[in-house]
Amino acid sequence: MLGLLACVGITAPAGAQTYPTRLITIVVPFAAGSGSDTAARMLGQYLAPRLGQGFVVENRIGATGAIATTAVSRAAADGYTLLLGTNSTHGSNSALYKKLNYDPIKDFAPIAHTGVFSYFLVVDPKLPVKSVAELVSLARAKPGDVTYAAGSSTSIVMAESFARGSGVQMLKVPYRSNPPALTDVMGGRVNIMFCDMSSAVTSVQAGSLRALAVTTKARSTLAPDLPTIHETAVKDFDLASWTGLFAPAGTPKDVIERLNREVNAVLAMPEVKERFATLGIEAQPQSVDTFAGYVKSEVAKWTTLVKEAGIEAE
């Protein structure tokens, strides 16, 4: 009997048997209503019954996600505090800040890739432009007068890459997250914004925002009539964002593997894929190792994009 128990103990680690035993918190680096917030809440909704514990989504905004990410990097490595990271927190922030209080690779254990987000270029409907060409003409005629809302590092990189590629100058208006930035574009206080479809699609459909283009090289199935920036202004412009689930470094491997299996099972559910698709999010399940490699490549990629766009670190 003792021998049998010993064998069971070896083949089924205690962590795997008992985790989770209480609420799990997913920290989101951006405001409620943002694309990452939407993804986190959907994940929590579907993961809760599979894991037998509730999920709490906590929004900690500021510094293009660095505040939340730093906090999670210092949390207990027990699987109960997770981060819904993005290509801002685990990509461009490495180049946007001279001093970052976390290491996106060393301080985190990647769990699962959760989705790729398509982006719109949207404008205040009262702005006298109805195409990307007209926007470029306006910006060239009035250098520095066209303003763009910057609610995340992704939106900053996209805007500056667009400006550099099309030969225009625009004035950055910084925000702590996308939702308040979008509100000011709709209110006419800022002219344009690069924003994830999940945050903007309802306002675009209602006419309170005008979408001029999508940021991927291929047209979006969600908005097939919209041209791409590649087609209209900047050749080979092809940018999107992503989200993924992370835990603090040192979190037990069996906990990471369990969460990866459950997240991937949720992402494979037809209703989840359909809900994601209507928001311009493509579910992309990956193994832990594949996602870890992806994150490393994305840190390098977005660091290069920041430098190529001529954005100076703060």
Side-chain angles (χ1 to χ4, degrees):
M1 185 65 173
L2 288 176
L4 177 60
L5 288 176
C7 290
V8 171
I10 290 171
T11 57
Q17 291 177 320
T18 59
Y19 176 85
T21 60
R22 53 187 170 87
L23 283 173
I24 299 170
T25 298
I26 301 178
V27 179
V28 175
F30 302 104
S34 61
S36 53
D37 176 74
T38 300
R41 293 181 188 278
M42 286 182 62
L43 283 174
Q45 175 188 344
Y46 285 93
L47 285 172
R50 297 185 66 88
L51 288 166
Q53 293 292 336
F55 280 74
V56 176
V57 173
E58 179 182 335
N59 301 89
R60 292 193 189 184
I61 64 176
T64 60
I67 291 174
T69 309
T70 300
V72 175
S73 73
R74 297 170 179 172
D78 55 10
Y80 291 97
T81 303
L82 309 177
L83 175 76
L84 202 288
T86 72
N87 54 285
S88 292
T89 65
H90 287 70
S92 51
N93 277 358
S94 296
L96 288 173
Y97 294 96
K98 293 177 181 177
K99 183 180 179 181
L100 200 60
N101 291 323
Y102 66 89
D103 186 305
I105 304 301
K106 295 179 181 178
D107 292 341
F108 290 91
I111 297 172
H113 190 282
T114 53
V116 172
F117 289 64
S118 298
Y119 267 61
F120 284 136
L121 165 57
V122 297
V123 302
D124 167 18
K126 297 181 290 297
L127 195 70
V129 298
K130 294 186 177 180
S131 68
V132 177
E134 289 180 358
L135 174 62
V136 171
S137 294
L138 176 65
R140 285 177 178 167
K142 299 180 178 181
D145 280 5
V146 173
T147 56
Y148 75 87
S152 69
S153 59
T154 301
S155 60
I156 295 170
V157 172
M158 287 184 177
E160 293 295 343
S161 297
F162 171 76
R164 192 178 185 90
S166 58
V168 303
Q169 296 178 29
M170 301 190 297
L171 178 65
K172 179 176 73 174
V173 182
Y175 291 83
R176 297 180 73 192
S177 196
N178 279 349
L182 273 177
T183 298
D184 276 4
V185 176
M186 288 186 281
R189 290 176 284 277
V190 186
N191 298 138
I192 78 166
M193 183 175 177
F194 286 81
C195 184
D196 58 277
M197 287 186 181
S198 58
S199 297
V201 65
T202 301
S203 298
V204 169
Q205 291 170 344
S208 50
L209 285 172
R210 178 182 297 140
L212 299 185
V214 295
T215 63
T216 48
K217 194 169 184 178
R219 292 200 178 196
S220 169
T221 55
L222 190 64
D225 293 335
L226 276 182
T228 67
I229 291 174
H230 161 70
E231 292 175 52
T232 55
V234 183
K235 184 174 174 57
D236 295 325
F237 194 101
D238 185 16
L239 293 175
S241 68
W242 57 266
T243 58
L245 206 59
F246 296 83
T251 299
K253 184 177 180 180
D254 55 302
V255 171
I256 297 296
E257 292 287 353
R258 171 83 190 279
L259 287 168
N260 176 268
R261 289 195 301 272
E262 298 298 350
V263 169
N264 287 347
V266 166
L267 295 177
M269 296 170 65
E271 61 186 288
V272 172
K273 289 196 288 187
E274 184 177 345
R275 288 182 65 185
F276 269 27
T278 60
L279 296 170
I281 306 171
E282 181 186 352
Q284 290 193 350
Q286 294 180 351
S287 69
V288 172
D289 289 343
T290 299
F291 182 47
Y294 176 81
V295 172
K296 289 180 180 178
S297 68
E298 284 293 290
V299 170
K301 168 187 169 181
W302 284 89
T303 297
T304 299
L305 286 171
V306 169
K307 293 177 180 177
E308 289 180 346
I311 304 171
E312 294 187 8
E314 296 180 2

